[in-house]
Amino acid sequence: MCQPVSASVAGMDTHLLLLFLGMDLLLICTPGPDMLYVMARSLGQGRRTGLTAVAGICGGYAMHTAVAAAGLAAALRAVPAALPAMKYAGAAYLVFLAVRTLLALRNRGGHALAAPTAEPSGKVLRQSLLTALLNPKGLLLYLSLMPQFISTGTGVPLGFQLAALGLLHVVNCALLYGLVAALTARAGRALTGTPKAARRVSVVSGTLLLVVAAATLGTH
Protein backbone atom coordinates (compact mmCIF):
# COMPACT_ATOMS: atom_id res chain seq x y z
CA MET A 1 0.00 0.00 0.00
CA CYS A 2 1.41 3.39 -0.95
CA GLN A 3 2.37 5.78 1.84
CA PRO A 4 0.51 9.11 1.79
CA VAL A 5 2.50 12.01 0.51
CA SER A 6 2.83 15.13 2.71
CA ALA A 7 0.74 18.17 1.89
CA SER A 8 2.20 19.69 -1.23
CA VAL A 9 2.84 23.00 -2.89
CA ALA A 10 2.41 22.81 -6.68
CA GLY A 11 2.43 19.04 -6.25
CA MET A 12 5.73 18.98 -4.35
CA ASP A 13 6.26 17.54 -0.88
CA THR A 14 5.92 20.46 1.54
CA HIS A 15 7.84 18.62 4.27
CA LEU A 16 10.84 18.19 1.97
CA LEU A 17 10.57 21.82 0.84
CA LEU A 18 10.73 23.05 4.44
CA LEU A 19 13.66 20.77 5.22
CA PHE A 20 15.50 22.07 2.18
CA LEU A 21 14.69 25.68 3.10
CA GLY A 22 16.20 25.24 6.57
CA MET A 23 19.29 23.47 5.25
CA ASP A 24 19.78 26.01 2.47
CA LEU A 25 19.50 29.01 4.79
CA LEU A 26 22.00 27.39 7.14
CA LEU A 27 24.47 26.86 4.29
CA ILE A 28 24.07 30.40 2.97
CA CYS A 29 24.54 31.92 6.43
CA THR A 30 27.76 29.95 6.89
CA PRO A 31 30.63 32.23 5.79
CA GLY A 32 32.01 31.00 2.49
CA PRO A 33 33.34 32.20 -0.87
CA ASP A 34 30.09 33.88 -1.96
CA MET A 35 29.64 35.83 1.25
CA LEU A 36 33.29 36.91 1.34
CA TYR A 37 33.07 37.99 -2.30
CA VAL A 38 30.00 40.15 -1.61
CA MET A 39 31.73 41.65 1.42
CA ALA A 40 34.85 42.44 -0.60
CA ARG A 41 32.83 44.20 -3.30
CA SER A 42 30.65 46.10 -0.83
CA LEU A 43 33.48 47.13 1.46
CA GLY A 44 35.65 48.40 -1.34
CA GLN A 45 33.09 50.12 -3.59
CA GLY A 46 29.84 50.63 -1.71
CA ARG A 47 26.30 49.32 -1.53
CA ARG A 48 25.43 49.70 -5.21
CA THR A 49 28.43 47.63 -6.29
CA GLY A 50 27.73 45.09 -3.56
CA LEU A 51 24.11 44.65 -4.62
CA THR A 52 25.20 44.38 -8.25
CA ALA A 53 27.59 41.63 -7.20
CA VAL A 54 24.69 39.87 -5.46
CA ALA A 55 22.65 40.13 -8.67
CA GLY A 56 25.51 38.56 -10.61
CA ILE A 57 25.88 35.70 -8.14
CA CYS A 58 22.13 35.04 -8.22
CA GLY A 59 22.21 35.12 -12.02
CA GLY A 60 24.97 32.52 -11.97
CA TYR A 61 22.96 30.25 -9.69
CA ALA A 62 19.89 30.73 -11.86
CA MET A 63 21.96 29.44 -14.78
CA HIS A 64 23.15 26.52 -12.63
CA THR A 65 19.47 25.82 -11.96
CA ALA A 66 18.60 25.79 -15.66
CA VAL A 67 21.55 23.52 -16.43
CA ALA A 68 20.68 21.10 -13.62
CA ALA A 69 16.99 20.99 -14.55
CA ALA A 70 17.97 20.19 -18.13
CA GLY A 71 19.79 17.11 -16.88
CA LEU A 72 23.30 18.32 -17.56
CA ALA A 73 24.26 18.13 -13.90
CA ALA A 74 24.00 14.36 -14.13
CA ALA A 75 26.39 14.45 -17.07
CA LEU A 76 29.00 16.15 -14.90
CA ARG A 77 29.08 13.09 -12.70
CA ALA A 78 30.33 11.16 -15.72
CA VAL A 79 33.17 13.66 -16.23
CA PRO A 80 34.95 13.85 -12.84
CA ALA A 81 37.62 16.21 -14.20
CA ALA A 82 35.07 18.94 -14.94
CA LEU A 83 34.62 20.15 -11.36
CA PRO A 84 38.36 20.44 -10.52
CA ALA A 85 38.89 22.33 -13.77
CA MET A 86 36.13 24.79 -12.82
CA LYS A 87 37.58 25.13 -9.33
CA TYR A 88 41.02 26.12 -10.59
CA ALA A 89 39.62 28.42 -13.26
CA GLY A 90 37.41 30.17 -10.70
CA ALA A 91 40.26 30.59 -8.23
CA ALA A 92 42.53 31.97 -10.95
CA TYR A 93 39.88 34.50 -11.97
CA LEU A 94 39.45 35.68 -8.38
CA VAL A 95 43.22 36.05 -7.99
CA PHE A 96 43.18 38.16 -11.17
CA LEU A 97 40.48 40.45 -9.70
CA ALA A 98 42.36 40.72 -6.39
CA VAL A 99 45.69 41.55 -8.01
CA ARG A 100 44.05 44.14 -10.23
CA THR A 101 42.42 45.76 -7.19
CA LEU A 102 45.71 45.93 -5.32
CA LEU A 103 47.71 47.13 -8.32
CA ALA A 104 45.19 49.90 -8.93
CA LEU A 105 46.29 51.47 -5.64
CA ARG A 106 49.95 51.28 -6.62
CA ASN A 107 49.38 52.60 -10.13
CA ARG A 108 47.62 55.72 -8.87
CA GLY A 109 51.00 56.97 -7.65
CA GLY A 110 50.52 60.38 -6.08
CA HIS A 111 46.77 59.87 -6.05
CA ALA A 112 47.07 56.57 -4.18
CA LEU A 113 45.32 58.00 -1.16
CA ALA A 114 42.20 58.88 -3.12
CA ALA A 115 39.04 57.00 -2.21
CA PRO A 116 38.26 54.09 -4.53
CA THR A 117 35.63 54.66 -7.20
CA ALA A 118 32.91 52.16 -8.03
CA GLU A 119 33.28 50.18 -11.23
CA PRO A 120 30.51 50.31 -13.86
CA SER A 121 27.56 48.15 -12.83
CA GLY A 122 27.62 46.15 -16.06
CA LYS A 123 31.24 45.22 -15.53
CA VAL A 124 30.66 44.18 -11.91
CA LEU A 125 27.62 42.17 -12.98
CA ARG A 126 29.60 40.26 -15.61
CA GLN A 127 32.49 39.60 -13.24
CA SER A 128 30.16 38.37 -10.49
CA LEU A 129 28.20 36.18 -12.90
CA LEU A 130 31.41 34.54 -14.10
CA THR A 131 32.61 34.13 -10.51
CA ALA A 132 29.40 32.29 -9.59
CA LEU A 133 29.49 30.11 -12.71
CA LEU A 134 33.07 29.05 -11.96
CA ASN A 135 32.36 28.37 -8.29
CA PRO A 136 32.14 24.57 -7.90
CA LYS A 137 30.19 24.99 -4.66
CA GLY A 138 27.12 25.86 -6.70
CA LEU A 139 27.27 22.75 -8.83
CA LEU A 140 28.04 20.58 -5.80
CA LEU A 141 24.82 21.89 -4.24
CA TYR A 142 22.85 20.58 -7.21
CA LEU A 143 24.82 17.34 -7.48
CA SER A 144 24.85 16.26 -3.86
CA LEU A 145 22.33 18.17 -1.73
CA MET A 146 19.26 18.91 -3.83
CA PRO A 147 18.63 15.31 -5.00
CA GLN A 148 18.07 14.38 -1.34
CA PHE A 149 15.01 16.67 -1.26
CA ILE A 150 13.37 15.39 -4.44
CA SER A 151 10.46 13.00 -4.12
CA THR A 152 9.66 10.37 -6.73
CA GLY A 153 6.20 9.71 -5.31
CA THR A 154 4.49 13.00 -6.12
CA GLY A 155 4.08 12.61 -9.87
CA VAL A 156 5.92 15.92 -10.36
CA PRO A 157 8.73 15.74 -12.94
CA LEU A 158 12.15 15.56 -11.32
CA GLY A 159 13.42 18.41 -13.47
CA PHE A 160 10.61 20.65 -12.25
CA GLN A 161 11.36 19.80 -8.61
CA LEU A 162 15.05 20.52 -9.10
CA ALA A 163 14.24 23.83 -10.79
CA ALA A 164 11.92 24.81 -7.91
CA LEU A 165 14.59 24.04 -5.32
CA GLY A 166 17.19 25.90 -7.37
CA LEU A 167 15.03 29.00 -7.66
CA LEU A 168 14.31 28.87 -3.93
CA HIS A 169 18.07 28.86 -3.38
CA VAL A 170 18.45 31.89 -5.69
CA VAL A 171 15.80 33.82 -3.72
CA ASN A 172 17.47 32.94 -0.41
CA CYS A 173 20.85 34.10 -1.76
CA ALA A 174 19.36 37.37 -3.00
CA LEU A 175 17.80 38.18 0.38
CA LEU A 176 20.67 37.16 2.65
CA TYR A 177 23.57 38.34 0.51
CA GLY A 178 21.70 41.58 -0.18
CA LEU A 179 21.55 42.17 3.57
CA VAL A 180 25.26 41.38 3.87
CA ALA A 181 26.04 43.84 1.06
CA ALA A 182 24.05 46.63 2.71
CA LEU A 183 25.60 46.11 6.15
CA THR A 184 29.14 45.78 4.81
CA ALA A 185 28.75 48.90 2.65
CA ARG A 186 27.59 50.86 5.69
CA ALA A 187 30.63 49.67 7.63
CA GLY A 188 32.82 50.60 4.67
CA ARG A 189 31.47 54.16 4.64
CA ALA A 190 32.24 54.48 8.34
CA LEU A 191 35.79 53.24 7.78
CA THR A 192 36.62 55.51 4.82
CA GLY A 193 36.39 58.84 6.58
CA THR A 194 39.91 59.76 5.45
CA PRO A 195 41.82 59.02 2.21
CA LYS A 196 44.32 56.89 4.13
CA ALA A 197 41.52 54.84 5.66
CA ALA A 198 39.92 54.47 2.22
CA ARG A 199 43.19 53.04 0.90
CA ARG A 200 43.31 50.53 3.73
CA VAL A 201 39.75 49.44 2.98
CA SER A 202 40.75 48.84 -0.65
CA VAL A 203 43.68 46.72 0.53
CA VAL A 204 41.31 44.70 2.74
CA SER A 205 38.92 44.30 -0.19
CA GLY A 206 41.66 42.94 -2.46
CA THR A 207 42.90 40.64 0.29
CA LEU A 208 39.38 39.29 0.81
CA LEU A 209 39.25 38.35 -2.88
CA LEU A 210 42.46 36.34 -2.39
CA VAL A 211 40.83 34.64 0.60
CA VAL A 212 37.83 33.79 -1.58
CA ALA A 213 40.18 32.24 -4.15
CA ALA A 214 41.78 30.10 -1.44
CA ALA A 215 38.35 29.08 -0.13
CA THR A 216 37.30 28.11 -3.66
CA LEU A 217 40.35 25.85 -3.98
CA GLY A 218 39.40 24.28 -0.67
CA THR A 219 35.95 23.27 -1.94
CA HIS A 220 35.67 19.49 -2.24
Side-chain angles (χ1 to χ4, degrees):
M1 182 175 178
C2 296
Q3 295 294 326
V5 178
S6 301
S8 61
V9 175
M12 294 181 64
D13 190 328
T14 304
H15 179 66
L16 289 179
L17 279 174
L18 292 176
L19 285 177
F20 173 77
L21 177 62
M23 181 66 70
D24 191 50
L25 290 174
L26 180 62
L27 289 175
I28 295 173
C29 290
T30 302
D34 289 338
M35 184 177 293
L36 291 175
Y37 178 79
V38 170
M39 291 175 66
R41 287 296 198 175
S42 305
L43 185 64
Q45 299 180 41
R47 184 177 63 179
R48 180 177 179 180
T49 299
L51 293 177
T52 302
V54 172
I57 288 176
C58 291
Y61 281 129
M63 294 181 69
H64 279 314
T65 298
V67 167
L72 296 182
L76 288 174
R77 290 196 182 99
V79 187
L83 283 177
M86 290 183 63
K87 176 167 64 176
Y88 293 123
Y93 184 65
L94 287 167
V95 169
F96 164 75
L97 293 178
V99 171
R100 194 182 64 173
T101 299
L102 296 173
L103 287 180
L105 293 174
R106 177 183 177 183
N107 293 337
R108 278 200 287 266
H111 302 285
L113 294 182
T117 56
E119 295 183 70
S121 296
K123 185 176 182 180
V124 175
L125 186 65
R126 290 192 300 271
Q127 291 174 346
S128 304
L129 179 65
L130 183 57
T131 298
L133 289 175
L134 292 176
N135 182 3
K137 181 181 177 182
L139 280 176
L140 289 174
L141 180 72
Y142 291 95
L143 289 170
S144 59
L145 179 63
M146 288 188 184
Q148 301 178 37
F149 297 92
I150 290 177
S151 173
T152 58
T154 61
V156 180
L158 299 184
F160 177 86
Q161 294 187 55
L162 189 58
L165 295 178
L167 292 177
L168 180 59
H169 174 66
V170 171
V171 171
N172 290 339
C173 285
L175 294 175
L176 294 178
Y177 290 151
L179 179 61
V180 169
L183 293 177
T184 305
R186 177 175 294 182
R189 287 196 301 272
L191 293 172
T192 54
T194 66
K196 188 174 182 179
R199 174 181 169 84
R200 289 175 178 172
V201 167
S202 292
V203 172
V204 171
S205 177
T207 303
L208 273 176
L209 289 173
L210 291 175
V211 172
V212 176
T216 298
L217 288 176
T219 303
H220 298 292

